[in-house]
Amino acid sequence: MEHKSRRKKTQHSCLDLDKLKKECTASAEVISQLRVRAPNASEACCIRYLLVHHNDLELAAENIDKMLIWRQITFPMTTTPYSTSSDAFYCHGYDKLGHPILFYVGGRVNIKTRNIEELTRYFIYMMEVALSRIPKTNMQVVVVIDRSVPLDSDYDFASHISYVSQKYYPALIYRIYVYPAGLVFKSVWFIMKQITSNRVAKILRPISNVEGLRNVIDDKYIPVRMGGSCTYEFNINDYPSPFAENFKLLSPGEIADDDVEEGEDLPDDLYVEESNDHESVNNRINQPSMSIYYMNSLIQEDNAHNDK
C-alpha cells in the first residue's frame, strides 16, 4: 500500500511534465531508447528534446549531447556576469500556476553600447536563477516582455537568445507574455501565427490591457510601470549564484558525473554565430523571441510610414 502511494506521488509531482508528456507523441520505446543513448539526461530532458525535434531520436540525442557539453563548460557561474544592461533581465515573483517570472525590459538595453556576448551570458545566468526557483510541481518558467518602456528591434541579440533558448533550454518556457500589445501588434501576430510553428503559437501570448495580465499573474507581481502594484526595483544583490560550488549542472537538478576532458573536440555549432542578414523569415518566426522582434520591426516600419 505504501509503495502504491509513493508511486502516485511521483507520477503526479510535476504538472508541467505531465502536460509535456501528453504533448509529446513519442512512444515509450523511443523515450527509452533515447534514455539509453543519453544516460546523463533525465526523462523530462529526453521528452523535451523529442518534443522540439518532432520525435527524431538521432537529432534529439545529438542535441542533448551538445547541451551536456555546453553546460559542463559554461557552469557553474560563481559570480553574477557583468552587464551594462543588467536591469533589462530580472527574475521576480510567480504566475498563478507557480512558474517563476523572468522579466525582459527591452527598452533598458542601449543597442549602440550593449555587448551581445555579455548580455547573452547575463540572460543565461538569469534563466538559471529562474529555473532554481521553480517549485517541485513545475519545471518551466514564464517570460514577460515588458513593452511599457519603448524598445528597438535588436535582431543580433534576439538571434543569440533564440539560439540559446532553443538549443539549451527547449520546452522550458511555459508562456511568453507580451505586454502591452496594441492593435497593430496583435494584428501582425494574428497573421504570423498562421505561418509559424504550433509550439510558438501556443507559447507567445500578446496581452493588450492590465486586466488580461492579471488573469495570469497576481497584481502583487505586476510592476507599477505596467499597471500593477509591485514596487520591486532591480538589485543585483538579490540574485546570488544558484550553483553550489564545484558542482557542474547538466540540466536543472542534475549533477555531471564527469567533466569534459581537456583538449576534447567540441561540436562546431556549440557557440552562437553572428546573425545572417539573409536568414529566411520562416527560420526567424519559428523562434518565439525572434517572432517578437520581427513583429516590432514591422510595427515600427508601419508607424514610420504613417508618419510620412
Side-chain angles (χ1 to χ4, degrees), residues 1-13:
M1 189 72 177
E2 187 183 348
H3 176 71
K4 244 183 207 180
S5 174
R6 258 202 320 268
R7 184 177 178 185
K8 184 175 182 182
K9 184 177 180 182
T10 302
Q11 198 173 21
H12 298 283
S13 61

Side-chain angles (χ1 to χ4, degrees), residues 27 60 67 79 98 116 123 190 207-208 215 233 250 255 265 286 290 292:
S27 65
M67 179 271 291
T79 57
I116 291 181
F123 162 76
F190 177 78
I207 298 178
S208 57
N215 287 335
E233 293 292 336
L250 296 176
I255 301 171
D265 290 335
N286 277 297
M290 287 304 290
I292 294 166

Side-chain angles (χ1 to χ4, degrees), residues 104 109-112 114 116 119 151-160 290 293 296:
Y104 173 52
V109 177
N110 187 326
I111 295 180
K112 295 180 180 178
R114 59 98 177 91
I116 291 181
L119 194 54
L151 71 158
D152 295 323
S153 296
D154 189 347
Y155 284 123
D156 285 338
F157 177 53
S159 66
H160 274 61
M290 287 304 290
Y293 282 100
N296 276 336

Side-chain angles (χ1 to χ4, degrees), residues 2-100:
E2 187 183 348
H3 176 71
K4 244 183 207 180
S5 174
R6 258 202 320 268
R7 184 177 178 185
K8 184 175 182 182
K9 184 177 180 182
T10 302
Q11 198 173 21
H12 298 283
S13 61
C14 184
L15 301 178
D16 288 338
L17 180 56
D18 289 343
K19 292 175 184 176
L20 288 178
K21 282 180 176 178
K22 290 179 181 179
E23 191 176 346
C24 179
T25 56
S27 65
E29 182 182 355
V30 171
I31 295 174
S32 178
Q33 288 176 2
L34 183 55
R35 297 214 61 189
V36 172
R37 292 280 301 274
N40 285 326
S42 66
E43 179 191 24
C45 181
C46 290
I47 288 173
R48 290 192 292 106
Y49 274 84
L50 283 169
L51 180 63
V52 298
H53 294 297
H54 309 290
N55 300 334
D56 188 318
L57 179 62
E58 295 300 321
L59 199 54
E62 178 185 336
N63 280 280
I64 286 177
D65 286 342
K66 291 177 180 178
M67 179 271 291
L68 298 183
I69 294 173
W70 175 79
R71 290 191 70 84
Q72 290 184 48
I73 293 170
T74 307
F75 304 120
M77 294 180 184
T78 54
T79 57
T80 307
Y82 172 78
S83 173
T84 54
S85 303
S86 292
D87 58 349
F89 282 111
Y90 68 91
C91 182
H92 185 71
Y94 295 83
D95 75 351
K96 291 187 176 182
L97 295 178
H99 302 104

